[in-house]
Amino acid sequence: MTANSADTSSSVFRLSPLIRITLLSLYIALTTPLPFLSQVTAAPVPPALLWVGIIIGFIALYAALSERVIVDDQEIQVTYPQWVPRFFRKGWSLPWSEVKQLKPRTTGQGGLVYYFLSQEGKAYLLPMRVAGFARLVKLVQEKTGIDTTDVYPLAQPWMYLILLGLTLLLLLVDGWAIATALGQGNIN
């Protein structure tokens, strides 16, 4: 927590490191074997083009995972670093005085997400994958007076731990697939 002045303080919440590491690792596990397999199978897409696409995709994913939530006495805002183009991820801000309610919505997979509804009727997704989510929800309750006792994160940490474990297993299989492709002698 950093103080901007004697009366105003702000808190910054970043995406949970567990979620960021898991999703970046999963991306690497799913994409890294492709250029090797492309060369071994003589696919029409050249490996160099796949590497370029993988690198661009990694940068885009990293940008999406660089979300920050800033809460101060006046507003809540979702921002991204300056290097992330606004056309890609522009973020939003909502003054506390404009928050009408926090409305739950069911996802297609049966989970529950929450949206801030503004006085104008616009909806803003409550960021649920940040480190310190319980503290964020407590601040939302303090700033708006909305009861948040039933607001929980969309996914629990154990879910991401399982996904990370399976991703590490997939990386081992990737290593075997790449070693096999290199062993066939078609890759220099």
Side-chain angles (χ1 to χ4, degrees):
M1 190 181 291
T2 61
N4 294 339
S5 70
D7 296 22
T8 307
S9 63
S10 65
S11 297
V12 177
F13 299 88
R14 299 186 191 295
L15 194 71
S16 165
L18 174 63
I19 294 171
R20 182 181 296 181
I21 290 167
T22 299
L23 295 178
L24 290 172
S25 298
L26 182 60
Y27 179 83
I28 290 168
L30 292 173
T31 59
T32 301
L34 297 177
F36 298 99
L37 297 174
S38 170
Q39 189 163 350
V40 167
T41 61
V45 180
L49 184 60
L50 286 171
W51 281 118
V52 168
I54 289 169
I55 291 168
I56 291 170
F58 185 86
I59 292 168
L61 179 60
Y62 189 83
L65 297 175
S66 65
E67 175 182 280
R68 304 183 293 236
V69 179
I70 302 172
V71 175
D72 61 27
D73 289 338
Q74 285 77 41
E75 66 184 353
I76 180 171
Q77 56 182 316
V78 173
T79 65
Y80 294 86
Q82 289 185 347
W83 63 268
V84 178
R86 287 193 47 80
F87 70 84
F88 182 68
R89 301 293 279 190
K90 66 179 178 177
W92 54 266
S93 67
L94 180 64
W96 294 119
S97 60
E98 291 293 314
V99 176
K100 183 177 174 181
Q101 72 182 90
L102 194 59
K103 189 160 180 91
R105 296 284 164 112
T106 305
T107 66
Q109 296 80 27
L112 200 58
V113 295
Y114 294 86
Y115 285 89
F116 290 108
L117 289 182
S118 71
Q119 299 293 344
E120 298 173 352
K122 290 184 179 179
Y124 300 86
L125 181 64
L126 172 67
M128 300 180 78
R129 293 185 171 96
V130 295
F133 181 74
R135 197 172 109 228
L136 172 62
V137 169
K138 183 180 175 193
L139 287 171
V140 167
Q141 183 167 329
E142 288 174 9
K143 305 295 182 190
T144 64
I146 297 171
D147 182 18
T148 60
T149 53
D150 294 332
V151 177
Y152 297 101
L154 179 61
Q156 298 299 319
W158 62 266
M159 295 176 183
Y160 282 97
L161 284 171
I162 290 172
L163 183 58
L164 181 59
L166 293 173
T167 299
L168 294 175
L169 184 61
L170 182 57
L171 284 168
L172 288 173
V173 173
D174 286 350
W176 171 80
I178 291 169
T180 301
L182 290 171
Q184 288 191 1
N186 295 339
I187 298 179
N188 297 327

